[in-house]
Amino acid sequence: MQFVNKEEVKEAIKEYAIVEGKSIKFVKNDNFRVIAKCTGHKYCPFVMLASRIDRNQFTFAIKTLSLEHECTRVDRLGYCNAR
Ligand SMILES: [Zn+2]
């Protein structure tokens, strides 16, 4: 799965989090990689890793995606950063 840029990746993850009612947090978010994890449960296996295909393009591709969850739905979403 590919995205035109990093913002598209983040939007897709946020939308997923809202639809699924999951608390997804970006643990890594720089110009080359975005890693999102679920904070709903300590051992929740959900993970998403997207990185740039090559340094000359802004295109991001999903490299790792595990949609498995061990957590339950959360009412209060905390996928945004600490602020
Ligand atoms: Zn989860």
Side-chain angles (χ1 to χ4, degrees):
M1 201 170 179
Q2 293 188 4
F3 298 89
V4 282
N5 56 41
K6 191 178 78 177
E7 294 311 310
E8 292 281 311
V9 178
K10 292 176 72 181
E11 284 306 308
I13 292 295
K14 283 178 185 177
E15 204 175 300
Y16 166 81
I18 292 165
V19 169
E20 298 291 320
K22 299 299 185 188
S23 181
I24 309 292
K25 188 185 173 192
F26 293 105
V27 292
K28 181 102 184 167
N29 177 20
D30 60 34
N31 289 332
F32 296 96
R33 277 196 305 174
V34 178
I35 300 173
K37 283 186 173 176
C38 182
T39 57
H41 188 281
K42 207 176 177 183
Y43 301 110
C44 194
F46 174 90
V47 66
M48 190 288 305
L49 192 164
S51 61
R52 257 162 80 166
I53 291 169
D54 74 82
R55 56 172 60 196
N56 302 315
Q57 286 181 40
F58 289 110
T59 311
F60 270 71
I62 303 270
K63 294 290 169 64
T64 305
L65 183 63
S66 169
L67 293 173
E68 252 183 88
H69 281 278
E70 283 183 10
C71 62
T72 50
R73 272 187 91 90
V74 288
D75 295 323
R76 209 177 125 266
L77 291 174
Y79 60 83
C80 300
N81 60 29
R83 270 176 292 161

